Amino acid sequence: MPYIKLESHLPGITGLLEYSKDTAQPIRDLTQVLLRGPSSLSEAERELIATVVSHGNQCVFCTTAHTAAADLLAGESETAACVKTDIETAPVSEKMKALLTIAKQTRESGKSVTEDSITRAKVAGATDIEIHDTVLIAALFCLYNRYVDGLGTSLPENEEYYGVLADRIVYHGYTRLPQGYDHLKGNNR
Amino acid sequence: MAHIDLGNELPGIRGLMAFSPLTEKPLNALAEVLLRGDNSLTRGERELIGTYVSYLNDCFFCQNVHGAMAGHYLGCNIEEIDAIKKDFINQNITAKMKALLTIAGSVQKGGKHVSHDQIELAKIEGASDMEIHDTVLIAASFCMFNRYVDGLATLAPEDRQFYINRAPQRAEEGYTASVYK
């Protein structure tokens, strides 16, 4: 049971974003720019950053949702599964290993990001903008994970919910659906 | 020196915002609605939540910017704000604020640290669902802002008077319009 009264057909983050639309707007805008805006990092790579941070924060809803989005974007599920277990042996580029390590350190604390990790990323070809975006995506998911778990939001009753959600954030993005979410009543619990 | 070349000498989050204008806009909009929008928690109370979380995250820049803002709104000097950061339970703030700061402290550790008992106590002390929501979201947002500022190793002026001097203008103009943001 969530700690505050949320709409029961909207588990995880969506119930919160609908509960407080004034605060949802800038959060949605920031996410859309960072994860879907123009970038030299692919959308799948940016979803992996979100996945690693949510996994580290043990946020089941966000981890499952962003794993599903990363899988859908990549067309396979091995990469996301591997980065959650061990970044160094995962089938990603050296640059992505370095950026995912920075994300992992940011998750612990801003002060945990080391000079060595930054140097490694730069040597592997990461630009200043890519490093900036990695830190801010990791920081944003530290917000999301705490928001979702700090208010005790519920998990979907049906695992298929995540497939529908991944489809929405891949093909529609992070902006609010123009028609709202009433169509989810009854069939996605 | 910051971890990346920001192309400017602005302090803390200001340097990052000048570097990345596309993300600046929603970040300032979030601060504006959370800390200054219509709310049954006063601006001073909300700045205090941001200050306390920034203190727990050991983010010098954010705890001084927002500590000065909280002091400005609440009519406290910096020593009084410091005392609240270190030991709010024994300071002269409302029982409701003590309950909300307890929740904020749990959010700083991780969302799952917030307990049913902490929420119940806040409700008993008169906190509404919206106030509990806003407390959790302010605390979560500062877990983002603090990591952004320190994760990229931005510069923070050491003189705490710097932050106190800027607070009145920032309070007047807000986070989206002020030259100080």
Side-chain angles (χ1 to χ4, degrees), chain A residues 18-98:
Chain A
E18 288 298 286
Y19 177 80
S20 176
K21 294 192 188 72
D22 285 356
T23 51
Q25 188 64 50
I27 296 172
R28 285 183 176 282
D29 290 347
L30 179 62
T31 314
Q32 182 68 19
V33 166
L34 275 173
L35 275 80
R36 295 291 178 272
S39 172
S40 46
L41 296 175
S42 71
E43 293 181 8
E45 286 172 330
R46 288 176 274 168
E47 290 289 347
L48 285 182
I49 296 169
T51 302
V52 162
V53 171
S54 301
H55 178 71
N57 283 329
Q58 300 179 322
C59 182
V60 174
F61 181 86
C62 297
T63 305
T64 314
H66 293 280
T67 299
D71 290 352
L72 183 58
L73 285 160
E76 45 88 8
S77 57
E78 189 199 346
T79 307
C82 289
V83 294
K84 284 184 280 186
T85 315
D86 180 18
I87 292 167
E88 295 306 326
T89 56
V92 294
S93 66
E94 167 62 15
K95 183 175 87 177
M96 271 310 289
K97 287 179 188 177

Side-chain angles (χ1 to χ4, degrees), chain A:
Chain A
M1 270 286 286
Y3 292 140
I4 59 175
K5 199 165 164 34
L6 302 172
E7 290 197 73
S8 62
H9 69 292
L10 298 175
I13 188 67
T14 313
L16 295 172
L17 295 175
E18 288 298 286
Y19 177 80
S20 176
K21 294 192 188 72
D22 285 356
T23 51
Q25 188 64 50
I27 296 172
R28 285 183 176 282
D29 290 347
L30 179 62
T31 314
Q32 182 68 19
V33 166
L34 275 173
L35 275 80
R36 295 291 178 272
S39 172
S40 46
L41 296 175
S42 71
E43 293 181 8
E45 286 172 330
R46 288 176 274 168
E47 290 289 347
L48 285 182
I49 296 169
T51 302
V52 162
V53 171
S54 301
H55 178 71
N57 283 329
Q58 300 179 322
C59 182
V60 174
F61 181 86
C62 297
T63 305
T64 314
H66 293 280
T67 299
D71 290 352
L72 183 58
L73 285 160
E76 45 88 8
S77 57
E78 189 199 346
T79 307
C82 289
V83 294
K84 284 184 280 186
T85 315
D86 180 18
I87 292 167
E88 295 306 326
T89 56
V92 294
S93 66
E94 167 62 15
K95 183 175 87 177
M96 271 310 289
K97 287 179 188 177
L99 292 176
L100 289 170
T101 301
I102 290 171
K104 213 172 153 180
Q105 292 174 340
T106 303
R107 186 198 73 78
E108 288 167 19
S109 161
K111 291 192 186 309
S112 297
V113 178
T114 63
E115 287 279 358
D116 285 354
S117 311
I118 298 288
T119 304
R120 180 186 177 192
K122 287 180 182 175
V123 168
T127 64
D128 280 1
I129 294 172
E130 288 171 343
I131 293 170
H132 167 275
D133 288 359
T134 297
V135 170
L136 187 49
I137 292 169
L140 172 60
F141 278 84
C142 287
L143 178 160
Y144 271 128
N145 301 157
R146 282 169 170 78
Y147 192 22
V148 164
D149 282 339
L151 286 162
T153 62
S154 51
L155 293 171
E157 285 176 12
N158 183 343
E159 286 285 315
E160 285 163 28
Y161 184 93
Y162 294 110
V164 175
L165 180 56
D167 196 75
R168 189 160 79 231
I169 58 184
V170 167
Y171 297 109
H172 169 77
Y174 289 97
T175 54
R176 186 174 187 269
L177 287 178
Q179 71 273 30
Y181 298 87
D182 281 354
H183 63 287
L184 296 177
K185 278 181 185 163
N187 62 353
N188 276 297
R189 294 297 312 277

Side-chain angles (χ1 to χ4, degrees), chain B residues 35-157:
Chain B
L35 300 174
R36 291 171 49 88
D38 287 341
N39 203 298
S40 49
L41 296 174
T42 67
R43 288 179 178 177
E45 287 171 333
R46 285 175 278 163
E47 291 285 354
L48 202 54
I49 295 168
T51 304
Y52 179 56
V53 170
S54 302
Y55 161 75
L56 294 175
N57 282 325
D58 194 25
C59 182
F60 185 84
F61 182 82
C62 296
Q63 66 175 296
N64 278 291
V65 168
H66 296 281
M69 294 296 285
H72 172 81
Y73 289 127
L74 298 170
C76 301
N77 62 34
I78 203 68
E79 286 76 23
E80 289 167 302
I81 296 294
D82 284 348
I84 294 171
K85 288 192 292 194
K86 286 180 186 125
D87 180 27
F88 66 81
I89 290 292
N90 293 308
Q91 304 303 317
N92 185 25
I93 56 171
T94 64
K96 183 173 88 176
M97 268 312 286
K98 288 179 185 177
L100 293 177
L101 287 174
T102 301
I103 292 171
S106 291
V107 170
Q108 186 269 340
K109 292 195 194 96
K112 291 186 204 305
H113 289 261
V114 178
S115 71
H116 204 266
D117 287 353
Q118 291 172 346
I119 299 287
E120 276 312 300
L121 180 61
K123 288 181 180 178
I124 288 167
E125 299 296 358
S128 66
D129 273 16
M130 189 53 94
E131 287 171 344
I132 291 169
H133 167 275
D134 288 354
T135 297
V136 170
L137 184 51
I138 291 168
S141 296
F142 277 85
C143 287
M144 171 180 70
F145 289 125
N146 299 160
R147 280 169 171 78
Y148 187 33
V149 164
D150 282 339
L152 289 161
T154 60
L155 290 169

